[in-house]
Each structure stands twice: as structure tokens, then as C-alpha cells.
Amino acid sequence: MAERKVLVLFGSQTGTAEDTAERIGREAKRRHFQCRVEALDSYDVANLIHEPLVVFVCATTGQGDPPDNMKMFWRFLFRKSLAPSSLCQLDYAVLGLGDSSYPKFNFIAKKLHKRLLQLGGNPLLPVALGDDQHDLGPDAVIDPWLLALWDRILALYPLPPGLEIISADVWLPPKYILHFLPEDSPHPEGGLQLPAAPGAVPSQQCPFGARVVANQRLTAEAHFQDVRLMELDISSSGIRYSAGDVVMIQPQNCPEDVQQFCQLLHLDPDRLFVLEPTEPGTALPALLPQPCSIRHLVTHYLDICCVPRRSFFQLLACCSPSPLERDKLQELSSAQGQEQLHSYCTRPRRTTLEVLWDFPHSSSAVPPEYLLELIPPIRPRAFSIASSMLAHPDRIQILVAVVRYKTQLSKPRRGLCSSWLASLSPEQGDVQVPLWVKKGGMKFPADPDTPVIMIGPGTGVAPFRAAIQERVAQGKRGNYLFFGCRHRSKDFYCQAEWEELVAKGFLTLFTAFSRDQEEKVYVQQRIREQGRLLWELLSSRSAHLYLAG
């Protein structure tokens, strides 16, 4: 009998594709398959020629781009040197996640399906195109597609004699075993630090702890929006960046939320543990030190403030000792309960921690080793760098708009990363922000005679502040900036800086303050007013035009 093993590979930007891939992995194990779930760039693509059965789950980002964790795989797969029969032994299925409001809807999934076909792969089903715009989200496509997929797979690889599909309300073995150390175990000297690889360029696996040098509020105290200019010290990090690049920041949960979570799940925050993979070959989470404390796990790793996905309710139902709570959890995780889940969770942006409060009997029964499967890791946040190394060597500056808004819930919603960053002060001592830098999508012209037109309303001005600082340091003129906000006196970011550059002849500035007069004025009106100038710059002087929001 053919070996019953399936590989699930994902390319995920926001975590949805990863969550779906993990769901497929669990469904495979319930059907007694050996199964591995991996990010496409973590998988050695040269082994694909030996795989009998692969399910690909991939998102499309931006304007038809592959997610960051499948870019290397993508480049390899489209090599011209690959033979048309390379994957003739491969049975495969492709599930795409996209948004039909974008022109290149599910472009990556469609192109991947076509390329695997060109290389001789055998598709088990047509490519599935999940759509965020659907009333029920991508699950409207995923649910029926998965039923059809398992029918096809079980026809090729029947269940072994005497075995049945394991019911969805039974826990599968956890991915990791948590070994608690004795309560009197000494904490490691210097706290729980991740070992820094000497000479390594900072990355998601090995971020650099940048010291907070300054955290200045740019908006008036009376203004509804709190916007910060933060300065971070990257001396000795080896980081180099240019205008248009992006800094990735790994945020953390606030101490009050961590305390509530531990209280709810009856966890001792200071208890130390070591993690051990259940199956050989499973990598340990990169950002967790060994040994690790529960406090460190909850503060730095578990995203207890995210809006939980459907899989969370499915897993929580498995360990619920309360029939009432279990029924409700199963209803919210069922295909029929998706509208209810949307009303309860997604629309009001209810957090994982708040849901756990609503299901106290289930929460207190969660075995600690299942925490890493129940709650996803905190994802890094991207910020446009708002400074130039030519003007601020060994520093990164960012503009942070602190996210705070109301929904039908009584407690205002807060952005995890922006609220955490706003709370940091250099006066608290050596306060560090874990970060690394990624190449951005904006490239500014090297030719000093090429004018640059930049349209950056609100915090969209951040990458243009970096570009203007860089170009001024290089002696480049021809910088045109359109900036818009509500009030000149309340949220005109970096006003003194722009006015000084205008006075020195390095910058031409057009502003729109929408609420400073009876009739609202926006950046697009200023663009229209300057139509003749812009056309002359674009048509006669080959100007580059950039827009950031």
C-alpha cells in the first residue's frame, strides 16, 4: 500500500493562509496521514520531486505579489532550467486566498497552479479561490473545496483497515510538549534573552533590540489622534537602510493583559518550562528562549489581543468541560455559524482575551501544551522609516499613529503595537524595541536633476521625510511635497522642518488643512490647482511621482 503522507506548504502574509494550512494538517491527521505543515521558504524545494502529495495554501499580497515567506520558492519554481516532467509523480491541490476588490485577485494561486501543471504535476481538483469580500469570507470556498479534496485523497489513499476518521471534537496530540521545571528552579542570569548570532544581520528569527532614544508627541494634546515621532538607536546592529525602506517591529502584550490571561487560565507567570517537539523534525519557535517562563511566552509570543479565527473556537471546544460553553463554541466554529461568529467577533473586533473571559470554564481547562496551537504568534508590524542615515547615522525614526477606536463593545479597541510603542519612554531606562529592516517598494532616482513629486497625507509623509532628508544631504533639489491633515495648529507633522527646507530652497511644499475653514480642502484639490506645474515636471523633466497613505 502506498505510504500515506501529505505535505501542506503555505505562503502567508497576515496569518490567514498559515491558519488554513494548520487546519488542513489537523484534518489530515484525523484521517491518519503522516503530515507536515511548513512555510514554503522553510521547505527545501529541491525535495519537491520526491513528494507524492502536496497541498499548497497561498495568499496574494499587494498588486499580485507572493507573500514574504514564499519568495525564494517562487523564484526557484520559475527557473527556465526546470524540466517539463520534473513533477510528474506529484499529486497536488492549490488553495488561494485573496480579495476580489483587487485587480490581481488570487494571482499567485492561479499562477502556481498553472506552473505546477507545466512541470508535470497532477492536479487533484481545480484551484480554489477564497475571497475576503464574500459575506462569509474565504471559508465560503474553503469548506466545500476541502470536502471534495478529502474525497479525492481518500479514493487514492483509503483509510487503513479498522481505522476511522478521528472526530473533530477529540484533541489531537499537541505539536510541542511543555516540560515544567521544578518551582524552585533558578531563573537564568540576565533574564530570558535570545542568543544573538554574532555578526548576523538582524532578521525576524534574530531581531535587534534597539534602544528608545526619544518618543515625542507631534499632535496637539487636545487633538483626538496621538501621533509620535520615535527615535531608535541601531548602533552596532549592522543595519543599513535607504529612503523607502521599512522597519519591522516585534511588539508585545501589556502587563495588565498578561496578568489577566494567566489568572484566567490558572497559570503561574514565573514558572519556567522547556519545549520539546512531539514529532522529530518539528522546529521550535524561533523567538522563544529555552528555558522560558510563562510570562515571557504570553508577553512576547502569544497574540492574546488578536481577533480569534474560526480554528480557535474549534480547538477551545475540544477542551471545554461545560456542555453549554462547548455547544456555543461548536456553533461558532461550524460552517453554519459563520455569520454569528462575524457578529460576535470580527465586526466588533473582540480579542482572544475577551473571548476567553466569555468562556471561563473552557479557558481554565486549556492544557498549557495546547496554548501554542490555540493562539497564534504575535506578528511583526511594518513602519515606513521616516529618517535618512545621512542625516541621522545609527538611528531609525518612525511616525506612529496610535490606533484607538470604538466599536459596539464598551471598551475602546487599541492597536497592539502602536499602544505599546507609545507607552515606551527613554526615562524608563534601557527600553528596547526588537526590530529588523526590509527593502521597501519605493526607489528614489539617483540622477540629481530628476524632480521628485511626493504626495503624503497624514502619516503617509513618513517615507518622504526619509527621502527628503537623503536628497537634501546629497544636495538634490527639485523636491515637491503635497501634505494634508486636519488643522495647521494640531497635526501638521514636522512643520518647522519643512518650513526651514522651503526657506533654504530645497523643498516646494503644498499643504491642505481640511478643517481650518468652512469648506473642506483636501490634497487632491491642491494637486488639481498645481496641474500645470505637475504636468510640466512629468512631461518635460521626467519627474518621478510617489504616493503614500
Side-chain angles (χ1 to χ4, degrees), residues 222-442:
H223 191 57
F224 77 98
Q225 174 80 77
D226 180 359
V227 175
R228 305 299 180 96
L229 178 64
M230 291 193 72
E231 185 168 350
L232 304 163
D233 181 356
I234 54 165
S235 311
S236 77
S237 66
I239 289 174
R240 290 287 169 267
Y241 65 86
S242 309
D245 286 351
V246 169
V247 61
M248 304 300 294
I249 288 178
Q250 186 67 40
Q252 60 187 56
N253 291 307
C254 72
E256 298 76 36
D257 287 349
V258 172
Q259 189 181 343
Q260 277 190 23
F261 180 87
C262 291
Q263 194 183 326
L264 197 56
L265 275 78
H266 306 309
L267 295 167
D268 173 1
D270 296 316
R271 194 76 191 268
L272 291 173
F273 66 88
V274 289
L275 276 184
E276 184 195 338
T278 313
E279 292 176 10
T282 304
L284 289 170
L287 290 176
L288 286 183
Q290 291 265 56
C292 183
S293 71
I294 290 290
R295 189 189 311 280
H296 188 97
L297 171 73
V298 183
T299 302
H300 298 278
Y301 190 80
L302 299 179
D303 198 351
I304 60 174
C305 289
C306 71
V307 177
R309 301 177 195 273
R310 181 178 164 186
S311 58
F312 170 88
F313 294 89
Q314 219 164 8
L315 291 169
L316 191 57
C318 287
C319 67
S320 180
S322 155
L324 196 69
E325 287 187 13
R326 192 187 317 120
D327 288 351
K328 189 66 188 169
L329 289 163
Q330 285 172 340
E331 191 182 335
L332 289 167
S333 66
S334 69
Q336 301 75 31
Q338 290 314 287
E339 277 184 42
Q340 202 180 343
L341 179 61
H342 189 77
S343 303
Y344 167 65
C345 226
T346 318
R347 193 178 295 120
R349 312 304 293 162
R350 198 182 298 271
T351 68
T352 295
L353 182 57
E354 288 168 330
V355 172
L356 289 169
W357 275 114
D358 285 351
F359 294 90
H361 298 96
S362 311
S363 304
S364 60
V366 174
E369 53 267 30
Y370 284 98
L371 285 175
L372 283 92
E373 278 158 80
L374 187 68
I375 301 171
I378 298 173
R379 298 203 160 259
R381 272 49 168 185
F383 291 85
S384 292
I385 296 174
S387 57
S388 165
M389 292 197 90
L390 301 181
H392 301 277
D394 291 332
R395 295 284 190 268
I396 280 180
Q397 294 181 350
I398 53 173
L399 277 183
V400 181
V402 182
V403 177
R404 185 187 162 98
Y405 59 96
K406 285 284 293 173
T407 66
Q408 69 200 46
L409 302 176
S410 57
K411 194 178 172 188
R413 308 292 88 192
R414 291 173 179 274
L416 173 67
C417 188
S418 61
S419 300
W420 172 64
L421 288 173
S423 74
L424 304 178
S425 163
E427 286 152 26
Q428 296 162 349
D430 186 14
V431 181
Q432 294 194 348
V433 173
L435 57 77
W436 63 98
V437 166
K438 265 175 46 179
K439 277 283 152 220
M442 287 186 186

Side-chain angles (χ1 to χ4, degrees), residues 3-11 21 24-25 28 33-40 43-58 73 77 87 89-95 112-113 116 121-125 145-146 149-150 153 156-157:
E3 193 180 7
R4 301 180 81 255
K5 67 172 194 171
V6 58
L7 173 66
V8 184
L9 296 174
F10 65 86
I24 296 169
F33 281 91
Q34 279 180 277
C35 182
R36 275 178 25 244
V37 179
E38 279 189 57
L40 279 152
Y43 174 72
D44 183 353
V45 66
N47 289 334
L48 203 58
I49 56 169
H50 306 301
E51 300 289 352
L53 178 57
V54 181
V55 181
F56 296 89
V57 185
C58 50
F73 170 86
L77 199 68
L87 300 178
Q89 86 311 326
L90 175 73
D91 288 330
Y92 74 91
V94 176
L95 167 55
L112 173 62
H113 182 72
L116 293 169
N122 315 300
L124 294 172
L125 289 176
W145 185 82
L146 279 180
L149 179 68
W150 291 121
I153 291 175
L156 295 169
Y157 301 91

